[in-house]
Amino acid sequence: MNMTEMIRGRRSVRTFDGTPLREEDAGRILEFAGKVENPYELPIQWKLLDRKSDKLSVPVIEGTDTYIAGKMRREAHAEEAFGYSFEKVVLFAGSLGVGTTWIAGTMDRKAFERAMHLSENEVMPCVSPLGYTAKKMSLRETMMRKGVKADSRLNDEKLFFDGAFDKPLAAENAGNLQLALEMVRLAPSAVNGQPWRVVRCGDCVHFYEKRGRGMASDTWDIQKIDMGIALCHFELGAIESGLHPVMDVADPGIPGQDGLIYIASFRIE
């Protein structure tokens, strides 16, 4: 499975063709999810859910009853760990021809949490439907994609920087990091907010979150899930480029980061 090609070709799917998820695909996805690790070494429990038997409601999804969800302990870096791991599951599902989309808010969350037997100290950040893409999007899906400009991404110069936040970096000028940064730019995010800001400093690459209005509460930051996706994409692109990225969490204190939240760094070996 070529992960970077999967990233380039993938889109969120909300309209499915009604074909039940094949048992072999369901088994392979659940098995893969159970083996996925994340840089924070935080465990995630995965489960396949059925809309009818688990009494679930997701108004924005048509044509499938199967969902995958994950739960984990509520602790530091849980959001980033979940985003990193779930994105690998999503990409793997895509390699099998199974459509997916990240869902965090447009669902009956309490019903999903009951189906996952969520305890007080656990969180279930997101879920995804699993099914086979319909030949034509529903009107609802078409309007949703148009509303968030789903096929658009910010320019490199607004996302990537070279040594300081006042020095924009075009991916084409990033040398052996070009593919890795391209994968970051293509990453999905809540309402297509693209909260990642990345600074290259020598052999290190530092990730920051630009928090959007209304995207975080006192206990949960949905954009940190997006940041986990970006970390995953960067690592996949770097590895495919023949690099050895090693992640660490140590704020380098780069000047000019007002309004940004440090997330993590990769050292390229």
Side-chain angles (χ1 to χ4, degrees):
M1 177 176 58
N2 186 313
M3 286 288 204
T4 58
E5 287 306 309
M6 285 300 308
I7 290 170
R8 288 192 179 101
R10 179 189 174 273
R11 72 165 175 85
S12 296
V13 178
R14 298 177 181 85
T15 313
F16 298 85
D17 69 2
T19 304
L21 186 68
R22 291 187 288 268
E23 287 187 13
E24 58 268 33
D25 287 340
R28 291 181 67 184
I29 292 169
L30 198 57
E31 179 183 11
F32 179 87
K35 295 179 180 178
V36 169
E37 298 178 345
N38 59 75
Y40 301 93
E41 299 182 349
L42 298 180
I44 302 173
Q45 297 179 47
W46 304 95
K47 187 176 180 181
L48 296 184
L49 304 174
D50 180 79
R51 180 183 64 85
K52 295 177 181 176
S53 60
D54 290 311
K55 300 179 180 178
L56 308 174
S57 175
V58 188
V60 299
I61 301 301
E62 298 181 22
T64 187
D65 291 330
T66 305
Y67 291 82
I68 185 168
K71 68 176 182 178
M72 61 193 305
R73 288 181 58 85
R74 186 189 298 273
E75 56 186 300
H77 303 301
E79 300 104 312
E80 300 98 297
F82 188 89
Y84 177 100
S85 296
F86 202 23
E87 179 66 356
K88 286 195 171 182
V89 174
V90 162
L91 292 173
F92 179 75
S95 75
L96 301 178
V98 176
T100 59
T101 189
W102 288 74
I103 297 177
T106 52
M107 62 176 171
D108 183 345
R109 175 168 285 277
K110 290 184 178 180
F112 274 90
E113 291 178 348
R114 283 195 299 269
M116 288 296 289
H117 304 291
L118 208 69
S119 66
E120 186 176 351
N121 65 341
E122 292 179 325
V123 291
M124 184 205 68
C126 299
V127 306
S128 173
L130 298 174
Y132 306 105
T133 307
K135 293 182 179 180
K136 184 178 180 180
M137 294 183 195
S138 68
L139 177 60
R140 188 202 304 267
E141 180 172 11
T142 301
M143 296 304 295
M144 287 181 67
R145 292 183 62 82
K146 183 177 181 180
V148 300
K149 299 180 180 179
D151 296 315
S152 299
R153 293 293 186 272
L154 295 174
N155 295 330
D156 291 347
E157 290 80 1
K158 294 183 178 180
L159 300 174
F160 310 133
F161 304 88
D162 194 10
F165 285 101
D166 60 353
K167 297 180 180 179
L169 174 66
E172 63 187 20
N173 297 325
N176 59 5
L177 295 180
Q178 180 176 352
L179 179 61
L181 293 181
E182 179 190 356
M183 294 301 104
V184 172
R185 192 178 71 84
L186 294 176
S189 55
V191 296
N192 200 25
Q194 305 163 68
W196 38 81
R197 300 296 181 267
V198 183
V199 185
R200 179 185 68 177
C201 294
D203 61 355
C204 290
V205 181
H206 308 291
F207 283 73
Y208 293 81
E209 174 194 356
K210 182 178 176 62
R211 182 173 288 178
R213 183 176 298 177
M215 299 300 290
S217 67
D218 293 337
T219 58
W220 195 251
D221 183 351
I222 189 68
Q223 288 189 167
K224 284 186 178 178
I225 295 175
D226 299 338
M227 295 304 301
I229 300 173
L231 295 174
C232 174
H233 278 212
F234 179 88
E235 184 179 65
L236 291 172
I239 291 172
E240 187 164 316
S241 299
L243 307 176
H244 183 213
V246 178
M247 204 193 88
D248 190 17
V249 179
D251 190 343
I254 298 173
Q257 56 177 281
D258 296 342
L260 300 177
I261 301 170
Y262 172 76
I263 298 297
S265 303
F266 279 104
R267 184 177 70 257
I268 305 300
E269 298 182 346

